[in-house]
Amino acid sequence: MNRRQFMRFSLVTTTMLTIGGTAWVSVEPQVAPLDIDSIITLLDKVMISHPVANGEWDVAQILQHCAQSVEYSMLGYPQHKSDLFKVTLGSLAFAVFESKRKMSHSLSEPIPGAASLDKQLLLNTSHNLTNAYARFKQSLIDFRAYDGVLAPHFAYGALTKKQYELAHGMHFMDHLLEVELR
């Protein structure tokens, strides 16, 4: 790529990112509470509504994935982005998510280095869905009671308990975009 092509590509890319970022940031934030008690209440409502996923993951996988995230916030994430990423793009992304109270991420991408989702729960039976639900709910209850040092997030870096609470709520809400309630 010559200098002229690089400059043109850089200008177009910067313009597109600026326009897209400005449009996304200008959207009004969600006002639904995203504390642990509200997440548990929402989770309970989802489960009595016969949820069906319409993305790559089924509901049991989604709930396991969300449980992993909550558990790792207390125990430590298995893999991290670089420190440079966390203090630049990672913290900027979380600041935008926090201000909008809404997260957007790949809904079928596992947490880096996370244990594989339990294959026994992937058979999509009501029993397995109940187990995934129980694991996620217990992780939220454990997080609410946790008073130890929280592990840095693999992408966002150090978060307070309140920020983690919000992150877990936004994370679950984002995954619910691929869940239909019947």
Side-chain angles (χ1 to χ4, degrees), residues 39-40 42-44 46-48 51 53 57-71 107 111 117-118 121-122 124-140 171-173 175-176 179 181:
I39 299 165
I40 290 171
L42 177 59
L43 174 61
D44 290 341
V46 166
M47 292 307 296
I48 63 172
W57 286 354
D58 66 26
V59 177
Q61 287 173 293
I62 291 169
L63 297 179
Q64 283 185 80
H65 170 75
C66 289
Q68 284 179 328
S69 183
V70 175
E71 293 160 356
L107 298 177
I111 297 166
L117 300 176
D118 185 347
L121 294 181
L122 304 183
N124 209 19
T125 67
S126 61
H127 174 71
N128 294 335
L129 181 57
T130 300
N131 289 342
Y133 157 72
R135 177 180 175 189
F136 182 35
K137 186 170 184 174
Q138 188 61 54
S139 73
L140 292 166
H171 185 223
F172 182 48
M173 294 293 289
H175 278 285
L176 287 181
V179 176
L181 306 179

Side-chain angles (χ1 to χ4, degrees), residues 21-30 99-100 102:
T22 301
W24 196 79
V25 168
S26 66
V27 173
E28 287 297 315
Q30 290 188 14
S99 72
K100 303 303 337 166
K102 181 178 171 65

Side-chain angles (χ1 to χ4, degrees), residues 1-10:
M1 178 182 297
N2 65 34
R3 186 171 191 265
R4 173 179 265 153
Q5 289 172 320
F6 176 76
M7 294 300 288
R8 185 176 293 147
F9 174 78
S10 296

